[in-house]
Amino acid sequence: MKSILFTLFLFPILLFSQTSLNANLLFSWQDTSLIGSSAFDNIYNEVWGFVQNGNEFAVLGSTAGTHIFDVTDPENSIQVAFVEGKVQGPQIIHRDFHDYRGYLYIACDEGPSSLQIVDISELPDTAIVVYDSDELFDRAHNIFIDTLNAKLYTTNGTIYSLDNPEEPTLLYQNSVLSSHDMYVKNDTAFINSQGNGLVVADFSQTTLENQTHQEIGSLLSYSQQGYNHSGWLSSDGNYYVMADENWGLDMKMLDVSDLSNIEVISFISSNVDENSIPHNQIINGDFVYTAYYHDGLYVHNISNPMYPYLVAYYDTFSPDHHNSYMGAWGVYPLLPSGNILVSDMQTGLYIIEIDYESAGIESESINRVSLY
């Protein structure tokens, strides 16, 4: 049964007096009527982006549900759709998103929730919920879609076929996928296994008839090891950046060109203070874009992965303290325009433009293509 979403418009709240370097605020939004979680008082969580019908869109999770914005004209961005979460309110901490072939997939990690699939092919005019069920799973911390092979991976340890995008079917279940997060490309999964480091597994032979996978690499012990939270692969497949979600630990740049010999080759820090926590990051071209709790968006040049250096930052969270988990949650730097989407747990959605020229970088060298 399909249900039409009601379009919700709210006035943007523009914030000023933020600390920044080579970064300009184009737009910000929050809804002061929404309530925070009882765990961390965060109203907002993950951010995602996609292109549909020539327009750019941002996706923002909240304790209420999923907010979709048309950000094609960033200074005049507007919320064009809202997907109500099956569960709402203070028990909600995290929602997660990925898009595929004109559909947005939504998972939630709290409550008796559901997998939601939204037909976004007619945006900005309309968005339609085509699937909302807990039959496959009710909760998942993170999801990732291998777009090359039409497979939805969850951190619950499962893989689903998206041959029919509106009706996922179970392909495989194995504890190797039970993790905090993962990055998947062409059947190869880089699995951030919390306290157990990084595991790389090949699922190319996985089918309903052949329930198997092959572990092809791992990094179980490394310097500054903590809670292995998240990571992203470079477009050439040779490097992987990952974050341990702990106060004061740097991100790690890994050489994964030889999966039998994965090595940490450099460290990346916000250089704010010893309490910084990298949360989520995405590589696009020669840059890694990171959402740091408390400290905001940070952009590092990794053209030489052995020697990353800071290019830009934008602080989305003004209070000068590092108690609990607050501030920037997620980042999405893969829109063709080059505009960066950032979510802040307390203050909502940000659209930020990086001034690469002021950072001494030629604009022709910036990758504007979404690669994942």
Side-chain angles (χ1 to χ4, degrees):
M1 183 70 179
K2 296 184 178 182
S3 57
I4 299 177
L5 301 179
F6 291 99
T7 301
L8 176 66
F9 299 97
L10 291 176
F11 291 103
I13 298 175
L14 295 179
L15 303 180
F16 302 94
S17 70
Q18 303 285 349
T19 303
S20 64
L21 171 70
N22 299 328
N24 303 312
L25 177 64
L26 301 178
F27 177 85
S28 67
W29 174 96
Q30 61 177 305
D31 180 353
T32 56
S33 70
L34 300 178
I35 62 174
S37 74
S38 56
F40 306 113
D41 196 29
N42 65 301
I43 302 170
Y44 310 99
N45 40 74
E46 187 61 288
V47 69
W48 190 251
F50 62 88
V51 175
Q52 189 65 46
N53 299 320
N55 287 18
E56 295 186 347
F57 295 90
V59 181
L60 178 70
S62 76
T63 53
T66 300
H67 311 260
I68 302 176
F69 298 81
D70 187 333
V71 298
T72 310
D73 178 7
E75 290 89 345
N76 296 299
S77 295
I78 189 168
Q79 185 174 202
V80 293
F82 173 71
V83 183
E84 183 177 292
K86 184 174 182 180
V87 177
Q88 301 177 303
Q91 66 180 296
I92 300 301
I93 300 171
H94 181 215
R95 304 186 193 275
D96 202 46
F97 313 103
H98 215 293
D99 69 286
Y100 175 66
R101 287 179 53 186
Y103 293 91
L104 178 68
Y105 295 78
I106 305 170
C108 183
D109 196 29
E110 293 80 32
S113 295
S114 62
L115 169 64
Q116 297 177 311
I117 304 175
V118 182
D119 183 342
I120 54 175
S121 63
E122 298 300 320
L123 282 174
D125 296 331
T126 187
I128 303 171
V129 175
V130 295
Y131 183 96
D132 189 345
S133 173
D134 60 3
E135 181 179 355
L136 297 179
F137 61 87
D138 61 349
R139 293 167 55 174
H141 188 72
N142 281 305
I143 57 176
F144 201 99
I145 297 178
D146 180 359
T147 57
L148 295 175
N149 293 290
K151 294 177 182 177
L152 169 68
Y153 288 69
T154 81
T155 53
N156 296 338
T158 52
I159 304 174
Y160 300 92
S161 169
L162 296 181
D163 286 341
N164 181 342
E166 295 187 9
E167 296 182 4
T169 56
L170 181 65
L171 278 179
Y172 190 59
Q173 184 166 6
N174 191 282
S175 61
V176 71
L177 287 165
S178 298
S179 59
H180 187 89
D181 206 348
M182 67 186 74
Y183 176 99
V184 189
K185 184 175 183 179
N186 199 22
D187 286 319
T188 299
F190 292 76
I191 304 165
N192 298 93
S193 299
Q194 303 164 90
N196 298 315
L198 177 73
V199 174
V200 185
D202 178 4
F203 293 91
S204 60
Q205 303 304 310
T206 301
T207 64
L208 279 174
E209 295 74 25
N210 184 30
Q211 292 285 296
T212 187
H213 72 276
Q214 180 182 5
E215 292 189 27
I216 55 178
S218 63
L219 185 65
L220 305 182
S221 178
Y222 50 91
S223 178
Q224 290 198 50
Q225 184 168 359
Y227 184 89
N228 195 336
H229 176 272
S230 58
W232 202 269
L233 187 69
S234 62
S235 59
D236 62 10
N238 290 327
Y239 302 97
Y240 187 80
V241 63
M242 67 183 190
D244 292 283
E245 189 186 24
N246 303 83
W247 280 265
L249 295 188
D250 294 337
M251 290 195 297
K252 289 80 181 174
M253 179 64 69
L254 311 183
D255 184 337
V256 295
S257 58
D258 178 1
L259 291 173
S260 67
N261 184 33
I262 299 175
E263 295 182 295
V264 177
I265 60 171
S266 60
F267 296 88
I268 300 175
S269 171
S270 70
N271 295 318
V272 176
D273 59 44
E274 62 183 11
N275 292 315
S276 291
I277 309 174
H279 190 222
N280 289 306
Q281 67 293 107
I282 292 179
I283 294 174
N284 192 16
D286 288 338
F287 303 91
V288 57
Y289 302 80
T290 308
Y292 278 84
Y293 287 132
H294 313 286
D295 302 326
L297 167 69
Y298 276 71
V299 183
H300 290 85
N301 187 309
I302 55 170
S303 55
N304 183 342
M306 296 284 290
Y307 300 100
Y309 64 90
L310 181 65
V311 170
Y313 61 80
Y314 191 94
D315 189 358
T316 62
F317 185 74
S318 296
D320 185 19
H321 66 80
H322 286 76
N323 297 329
S324 185
Y325 298 98
M326 299 181 178
W329 177 291
V331 60
Y332 189 88
L334 301 175
L335 293 175
S337 66
N339 295 330
I340 314 303
L341 308 176
V342 180
S343 59
D344 185 282
M345 296 169 69
Q346 280 70 42
T347 57
L349 175 68
Y350 291 75
I351 304 176
I352 296 170
E353 177 185 53
I354 303 302
D355 186 352
Y356 296 99
E357 184 176 347
S358 293
I361 298 167
E362 297 293 334
S363 60
E364 290 78 8
S365 68
I366 307 303
N367 183 0
R368 299 299 191 195
V369 181
S370 301
L371 298 173
Y372 56 88

